[in-house]
Amino acid sequence: QQPVQSPQAVILREGEDAVINCSSSKALYSVHWYRQKHGEAPIFLMILLKGGEQKGHDKISASFNEKKQQSSLYLTASQLSYSGTYFCGTENGGNTGNQFYFGTGTSLTVIP
Amino acid sequence: DADVTQTPRNRITKTGKRIMLECSQTKGHDRMYWYRQDPGLGLRLIYYSFDVKDINKGEISDGYSVSRQAQAKFSLSLESAIPNQTALYFCATSDPGSNTDTQYFGPGTRLTVL
């Protein structure tokens, strides 16, 4: 039930764009995105709910395709501070006590 | 002050020893979680608790036990530590009053079992 992320790793130059994908084998209620810097705790970026709209935060945005059980995270004009590991987290049943599953992560490195 | 704290932050122990990792939160959240993180495997759920009397196993609970002493405290125990339990452990909380379980993480405990 762990969602699958792709790619596993990506290296970008400053100013380039990237897309990180998250796929689940089960119907999704919500998808969360987190970023983790090396040696630190994951930090919440945004959440997309079933039936909700595409979310954005500065130059990081995400979409949620409920039919395909997929979400994508878009990083536009990447900055050095975007480096880290990105995790998607999925809920299958909303606020019903279902487990929360994290993907295996995508390592993103932005170089000057 | 941090909303979710974990102690200890680092621990080295020997095979067969009993270890307890502690988590405290001041966020007032009912839900608390323990995850372990291994390179390439992401975050995997060990146990979760939706209130003081409700404790549930996650996907990798074997070899671990938990105790929810109060709304604010959730402890993870390794009854007899083994080397493959060497990992980074995170505690997290979430608020059931929101319409979804956004996770707020503690700083992590790095555990090494020799």
Side-chain angles (χ1 to χ4, degrees), chain A residues 8-105:
Chain A
Q8 289 186 332
V10 59
I11 299 175
L12 302 172
R13 293 198 177 276
E14 264 186 298
E16 291 183 337
D17 302 339
V19 180
I20 300 172
N21 300 303
C22 174
S23 297
S24 174
S25 60
K26 300 190 80 173
L28 297 176
Y29 170 78
S30 72
V31 179
H32 303 218
W33 286 98
Y34 293 78
R35 177 170 63 207
Q36 184 180 30
K37 300 281 189 178
H38 182 68
E40 299 179 7
I43 300 296
F44 173 74
L45 292 176
M46 65 185 74
I47 181 173
L48 299 101
L49 297 174
K50 184 176 178 180
E53 297 177 357
Q54 182 167 336
K55 295 281 190 177
H57 175 70
D58 195 12
K59 291 185 176 144
I60 300 176
S61 61
S63 63
F64 181 15
N65 187 323
E66 297 160 24
K67 250 186 173 180
K68 292 185 177 180
Q69 296 165 190
Q70 293 176 347
S71 176
S72 294
L73 185 72
Y74 306 95
L75 298 100
T76 306
S78 57
Q79 305 168 17
L80 295 175
S81 62
Y82 286 4
S83 292
T85 301
Y86 289 78
F87 293 97
C88 67
T90 58
E91 290 180 273
N92 301 120
N95 197 22
T96 59
N98 282 356
Q99 288 187 21
F100 190 85
Y101 294 94
F102 281 97
T104 52

Side-chain angles (χ1 to χ4, degrees), chain B residues 77-92:
Chain B
S77 293
L78 288 69
E79 298 300 327
S80 179
I82 56 176
N84 76 0
Q85 291 178 313
T86 293
L88 184 56
Y89 290 84
F90 285 104
C91 172

Side-chain angles (χ1 to χ4, degrees), chain B residues 10-17 19 21 35-42 44 46 60 62-64 76 78 80-90 109-114:
Chain B
N10 288 283
R11 182 71 184 267
I12 300 173
T13 190
K14 294 183 178 179
T15 297
K17 294 289 188 182
I19 296 295
L21 309 183
Y35 293 91
R36 68 175 277 175
Q37 186 173 32
D38 300 276
L41 296 177
R44 293 183 293 165
I46 306 171
I60 54 163
D62 287 347
Y64 301 95
L76 176 73
L78 288 69
S80 179
I82 56 176
N84 76 0
Q85 291 178 313
T86 293
L88 184 56
Y89 290 84
F90 285 104
T109 294
R110 187 167 294 281
L111 177 67
T112 303
V113 183
L114 301 176

